[in-house]
Amino acid sequence: MDHINYIKEQFDQLQTAEAGSQLQAFRSKAFDTFNQLGVPTARNEEWRYTRIAPLFNNGFQLQENNLVLADVVTHRMPGHEKANELFFVNGRYSADLSKIISPSLQLALLEDALQGEHKELINTHLGHSAVYLRDGINALNNALVQGAVFIHVAKSAQVEHPVYIYNVTDGRNENVLSQPRSLFYLGVNAQLQIAETFITIGTQDSFTNKIMELVVEEDARLEYYIIQNDNAQSNLVSTTHIRHIGKSFSHGVTISLNGGIVRNNLNIVLEKAYCEAHLYGLYFQQGNSHIDNHTVVDNVSPNCYSNELYKGMMDGSSTGVFNGKIFVRQPAQKTNAFQSNKNVLLSNDASVNTKPQLEIFADDVKCSHGCTIGRLDEEGLFYLQSRGISEKVAKAMLLQSFVGDIVDKINIPAIRTHVEDLIAERLEYKVD
Amino acid sequence: MLSIQNLHANIDGKEILRGINLDVKPGEIHAIMGPNGAGKSTLASVLAGRADYEVTEGSVTFWGKDLLALAPEERAGEGLFLSFQYPVEIPGLSTTNFIKSAVNEVRKYRGQDALDAVSFLKLMKEKMALMNMDQVLLSRSLNEGFSGGEKKRNEIFQMAMLEPKLAILDETDSGLDIDAIRIVANGVNKLRNSENAVLAITHYQRLLDYIVPDFVHVLYQGRIVKSGTKELAYELEEKGYDFIKNEINIEEQV
Ligand SMILES: Nc1ncnc2c1ncn2[C@@H]1O[C@H](COP(=O)(O)OP(=O)(O)OP(=O)(O)O)[C@@H](O)[C@H]1O
Ligand SMILES: [Mg+2]
């Protein structure tokens, strides 16, 4: 059975099984979109360099799964003792594995939350990422939304412990399609830190199609860290969509170290004046891995500030894509938007395609962008070697220096150290 | 300790060094002078092992070893040090961490244990005092945003930390103010002993008032065309390079 038919069958089953669900209409609409658009191919400009359609010939299955903690315990991130932990297994929230230790964090299954006081809020924001991502892969998550969660951070709550999110796929027996889905709401003056990672257990192919939507209210502060270090059989489309609906602040770092084909969609919508967003990224690829960072910063209102810096180190035959869109709408005067993408190619077979895309409709703005693709600095290498440092260590030191400022942007110390260690492990050297 | 024989070197197919001969013995100070573009930095780079240069002829031995067969880091391990004319800026690499790595890598090469944090700190303190080195510079990224003079101070500080047998100073005095030249020269002199040597590339007699050379060589168009004692430096300062160029032209005509 081809994947379109399989998806249709799964959709029908889900709609029948959850006949009374508040999500019926949402799913139906998305399913129509999916039917119309299908899995994006290279013909879609946004997917020109990232080809996921052929992957679907692998016959990915949607599967319910009951992993136990023992299956995932080695994958927990450092600092988990003092973190809220949310597990999604094969795309569905697992209450058994998860633990909430911060009382100000209210979590409910989306289905249930839609019966409660936040119904309006959810209906307003759920699926807003589709406004920016008009493609079949976004629609696919929407069409089959299941086991999704709504997380509400109350007004003025300073969530003391970070939220760790584990997107786990059990690839021990089958090729699995996981579609984790969450909607976060940060109330006025609330503060939250999130660290998210992706784990495929086993050696089968997996495809994770994650959507995380976040709504940030007046004076709220969001930090999010996305760590990707999965195996080469795991493919991922990670969509993180942030709406600043009041004057607020977000700060995020996306670290991509390993995987098969990885596409990150990061959308920052600055809807109110004086919002501030910081977007950092680091990709360090090897083998045949493919990394694609598609970011959008949409300045809708005046006086917003955004700063974006992505750095890449490409080894082996890895391929990279950076596409950074900045929109400045006509009312968004006095926008300050900065973007930079810097790449180092470590082998002759690696490549990067980088494209800034600025669309500015206001006249009084400060915007800048820049991108570089180069090789490791030979002068620097010789300088270090001339001081007695071996070529291998010198290279490792230069690369760590190159990405150090990105890693330093991770404000959860245990996660920062974790990332430093992962990079040091890859380089087989650590600057102490 | 260093013996250079008939050294020829090219860059991008262009011959820059055209038959250098030079012997340096322990305890000696040699000055190399010569007009811009003569090949002084090229000589320094070839000795330190920069990959861009192709040695086409000749040999260099360092304590009896074939220097040209060694990687740059091995040359450092053997006791060669180059103070760069243009030190490289490396954003994100802390100067202290860099020096610590360098010291310990060189120790490893020599079969010594790595210095622990306490011993390293003690060594740093000692050399900082010797070189009047500012602590603040050491906590910054390597050479990033350093002034010209600060970069040169940092080079000499690294030299003090690594205690080389042969220090090649490529215009270390350029960019230093008058006080700094004296401090740097004093540092070099304090580190001197009968076992080590200095090869000082400079355009100015002033440095040589402090670091008094045993020999002065004039490098011109890729060759050492004249050697003498420290008086030669005075003569050059007074007359410029023209008299040497004239001498050579006369010789060539003959
Ligand atoms: N990549 C290159 N291709 C061609 N010529 C080069 C290259 N690099 C250096 N040179 C030339 O080699 C010559 C010697 O340069 P070098 O830096 O050794 O001179 P120098 O004696 O140190 O001069 P200065 O006193 O100005 O420091 C110069 O003419 C320079 O232009
Ligand atoms: Mg020079």
Side-chain angles (χ1 to χ4, degrees):
Chain A
M1 180 167 27
D2 79 2
H3 72 269
I4 299 280
N5 284 325
Y6 175 74
I7 300 288
K8 173 156 180 38
E9 187 189 279
Q10 293 294 312
F11 170 75
D12 289 340
Q13 274 178 21
L14 179 62
Q15 292 291 67
T16 315
E18 298 186 5
S21 169
Q22 301 273 349
L23 289 165
Q24 287 270 326
F26 180 81
R27 287 188 192 125
S28 283
K29 190 165 159 251
F31 184 72
D32 288 345
T33 308
F34 175 75
N35 247 343
Q36 207 185 321
L37 300 176
V39 175
T41 65
R43 256 174 309 196
N44 180 334
E45 185 59 30
E46 297 302 327
W47 291 89
R48 186 197 285 214
Y49 300 105
T50 299
R51 306 191 169 201
I52 57 168
L55 293 171
F56 279 79
N57 299 332
N58 291 347
F60 292 115
Q61 308 281 311
L62 288 157
Q63 276 202 343
E64 223 175 322
N65 188 290
N66 300 310
L67 284 180
V68 293
L69 203 54
D71 298 320
V72 295
V73 72
T74 55
H75 297 285
R76 292 167 90 186
M77 291 188 283
H80 63 81
E81 302 84 356
K82 289 194 169 171
N84 300 282
E85 291 187 287
L86 312 187
F87 281 87
F88 291 82
V89 179
N90 288 3
R92 298 178 206 180
Y93 179 70
S94 163
D96 288 348
L97 297 182
S98 302
K99 77 171 201 277
I100 307 283
I101 57 173
S102 298
S104 50
L105 211 61
Q106 287 173 38
L107 180 141
L109 283 174
L110 196 59
E111 302 274 350
D112 300 338
L114 277 165
Q115 316 277 351
E117 52 171 335
H118 301 306
K119 180 178 173 176
E120 281 303 305
L121 190 76
I122 295 170
N123 282 330
T124 308
H125 297 291
L126 185 71
H128 192 261
S129 58
V131 175
Y132 291 80
L133 304 165
R134 297 169 191 278
D135 61 41
I137 200 77
N138 184 275
L140 181 59
N141 184 305
N142 291 332
L144 294 170
V145 60
Q146 194 181 9
V149 291
F150 173 65
I151 293 119
H152 184 274
V153 184
K155 184 177 170 182
S156 293
Q158 323 279 299
V159 181
E160 188 188 346
H161 304 292
V163 174
Y164 284 11
I165 302 175
Y166 303 92
N167 299 291
V168 185
T169 300
D170 184 355
R172 284 179 297 192
N173 303 313
E174 228 94 39
N175 296 339
V176 171
L177 170 64
S178 287
Q179 301 206 97
R181 182 60 176 259
S182 56
L183 175 63
F184 282 77
Y185 173 83
L186 275 71
V188 172
N189 199 31
Q191 284 193 22
L192 182 68
Q193 286 181 317
I194 296 173
E196 180 186 40
T197 195
F198 301 84
I199 300 150
T200 300
I201 299 171
T203 54
Q204 297 293 313
D205 289 346
S206 70
F207 193 100
T208 300
N209 180 25
K210 174 216 94 172
I211 299 180
M212 175 159 71
E213 292 171 321
L214 304 107
V215 181
V216 189
E217 276 279 14
E218 185 84 3
D219 291 329
R221 185 189 163 94
L222 168 69
E223 287 179 29
Y224 56 98
Y225 306 106
I226 303 173
I227 319 294
Q228 295 160 343
N229 190 35
D230 212 345
N231 66 35
Q233 289 78 250
S234 56
N235 306 289
L236 169 65
V237 176
S238 164
T239 296
T240 306
H241 181 81
I242 302 173
R243 281 185 89 172
H244 288 264
I245 62 168
K247 171 183 68 70
S248 51
F249 176 97
S250 70
H251 169 107
V253 185
T254 304
I255 306 274
S256 309
L257 299 176
N258 254 324
I261 293 178
V262 174
R263 160 70 165 253
N264 290 308
N265 294 314
L266 175 61
N267 305 331
I268 313 282
V269 191
L270 305 167
E271 298 184 11
K272 289 285 150 58
Y274 294 101
C275 285
E276 185 175 336
H278 300 255
L279 312 63
Y280 302 98
L282 157 61
Y283 40 99
F284 185 9
Q285 302 285 307
Q286 60 185 359
N288 291 315
S289 65
H290 176 84
I291 178 72
D292 176 352
N293 280 292
H294 261 67
T295 65
V296 175
V297 176
D298 190 3
N299 294 270
V300 179
S301 291
N303 289 97
C304 290
Y305 172 91
S306 64
N307 186 26
E308 175 171 14
L309 175 59
Y310 273 67
K311 288 188 176 180
M313 304 191 289
M314 308 296 291
D315 207 347
S317 329
S318 63
T319 47
V321 177
F322 175 82
N323 181 291
K325 293 187 181 61
I326 296 177
F327 300 121
V328 182
R329 311 279 170 183
Q330 199 275 325
Q333 301 296 346
K334 308 269 184 214
T335 288
N336 276 294
F338 307 105
Q339 181 190 91
S340 171
N341 173 229
K342 297 180 178 171
N343 298 282
V344 177
L345 300 181
L346 301 171
S347 95
N348 290 329
D349 296 329
S351 65
V352 173
N353 209 296
T354 172
K355 181 177 173 195
Q357 220 177 313
L358 276 59
E359 292 183 27
I360 300 172
F361 303 100
D363 42 37
D364 184 13
V365 302
K366 261 193 219 144
C367 289
S368 74
H369 66 87
C371 48
T372 58
I373 302 175
R375 306 216 151 252
L376 200 62
D377 175 23
E378 292 288 335
E379 280 286 311
L381 198 59
F382 175 61
Y383 188 59
L384 266 55
Q385 282 182 270
S386 80
R387 296 298 181 254
I389 299 170
S390 70
E391 186 178 348
K392 187 176 162 139
V393 172
K395 275 186 182 166
M397 288 173 82
L398 289 178
L399 292 177
Q400 283 181 353
S401 311
F402 175 62
V403 299
D405 57 343
I406 303 288
V407 179
D408 283 347
K409 297 293 188 298
I410 302 175
N411 294 332
I412 303 173
I415 298 293
R416 184 174 59 242
T417 309
H418 175 54
V419 170
E420 280 169 358
D421 289 347
L422 290 173
I423 293 171
E425 199 179 297
R426 172 83 65 86
L427 293 170
E428 296 173 36
Y429 179 78
K430 180 162 189 178
V431 180
D432 51 12
Chain B
M1 66 165 77
L2 180 75
S3 172
I4 304 173
Q5 268 160 22
N6 191 31
L7 183 66
H8 290 250
N10 288 356
I11 185 156
D12 294 341
K14 183 182 163 198
E15 186 167 54
I16 310 289
L17 300 185
R18 304 193 299 159
I20 303 264
N21 292 293
L22 183 66
D23 264 302
V24 179
K25 297 194 174 58
E28 291 179 348
I29 295 183
H30 291 244
I32 295 185
M33 303 181 83
N36 296 131
K40 303 180 297 297
S41 295
T42 303
L43 175 61
S45 297
V46 168
L47 293 177
R50 187 192 289 267
D52 311 348
Y53 298 94
E54 186 198 356
V55 174
T56 52
E57 220 183 311
S59 67
V60 182
T61 56
F62 188 54
W63 297 101
K65 281 192 185 164
D66 178 5
L67 189 73
L68 301 177
L70 301 178
E73 60 269 28
E74 294 170 326
R75 300 180 194 201
E78 293 291 337
L80 190 106
F81 179 89
L82 170 61
S83 168
F84 281 53
Q85 182 174 4
Y86 304 108
V88 183
E89 299 195 11
I90 303 184
L93 178 59
S94 119
T95 305
T96 303
N97 283 344
F98 158 68
I99 295 178
K100 191 173 178 191
S101 298
V103 167
N104 282 331
E105 288 267 313
V106 164
R107 290 180 67 89
K108 191 161 95 191
Y109 183 86
R110 295 175 185 164
Q112 299 165 314
D113 287 339
L115 288 183
D116 59 39
V118 176
S119 319
F120 177 75
L121 218 65
K122 193 167 155 262
L123 183 67
M124 284 266 284
K125 287 255 162 66
E126 182 192 315
K127 304 295 184 184
M128 277 165 64
L130 184 72
M131 292 295 168
N132 256 359
M133 188 70 186
D134 188 351
Q135 172 99 55
V136 176
L137 281 186
L138 296 176
S139 63
R140 281 168 51 182
S141 281
L142 183 57
N143 292 326
E144 192 190 20
F146 284 26
S147 74
E150 286 168 343
K151 284 180 183 165
K152 298 300 176 73
R153 292 280 283 274
N154 190 18
E155 292 292 287
I156 294 303
F157 178 70
Q158 291 168 38
M159 182 196 78
M161 290 295 291
L162 293 170
E163 298 192 356
K165 295 195 183 115
L166 175 66
I168 304 168
L169 311 180
D170 191 357
E171 298 199 26
T172 302
D173 50 339
S174 312
L176 288 179
D177 64 44
I178 299 159
D179 291 339
I181 289 184
R182 211 175 40 239
I183 292 163
V184 162
N186 280 340
V188 171
N189 286 330
K190 278 185 211 157
L191 293 168
R192 281 195 61 206
N193 57 43
S194 58
E195 295 296 302
N196 58 25
V198 175
L199 197 63
I201 297 169
T202 181
H203 285 294
Y204 308 107
Q205 160 59 31
R206 186 187 297 128
L207 178 75
L208 305 179
D209 285 340
Y210 299 105
I211 304 177
V212 183
D214 301 297
F215 302 97
V216 175
H217 311 277
V218 179
L219 209 148
Y220 178 60
Q221 293 184 345
R223 290 197 194 101
I224 291 177
V225 293
K226 199 172 175 70
S227 295
T229 53
K230 62 177 191 268
E231 284 72 26
L232 177 57
Y234 286 109
E235 200 178 350
L236 289 170
E237 182 102 346
E238 208 175 291
K239 301 186 188 166
Y241 290 110
D242 276 353
F243 87 96
I244 289 188
K245 291 178 189 171
N246 289 337
E247 276 179 24
I248 292 165
N249 288 338
I250 290 162
E251 271 173 40
E252 281 181 356
Q253 277 164 23
V254 171

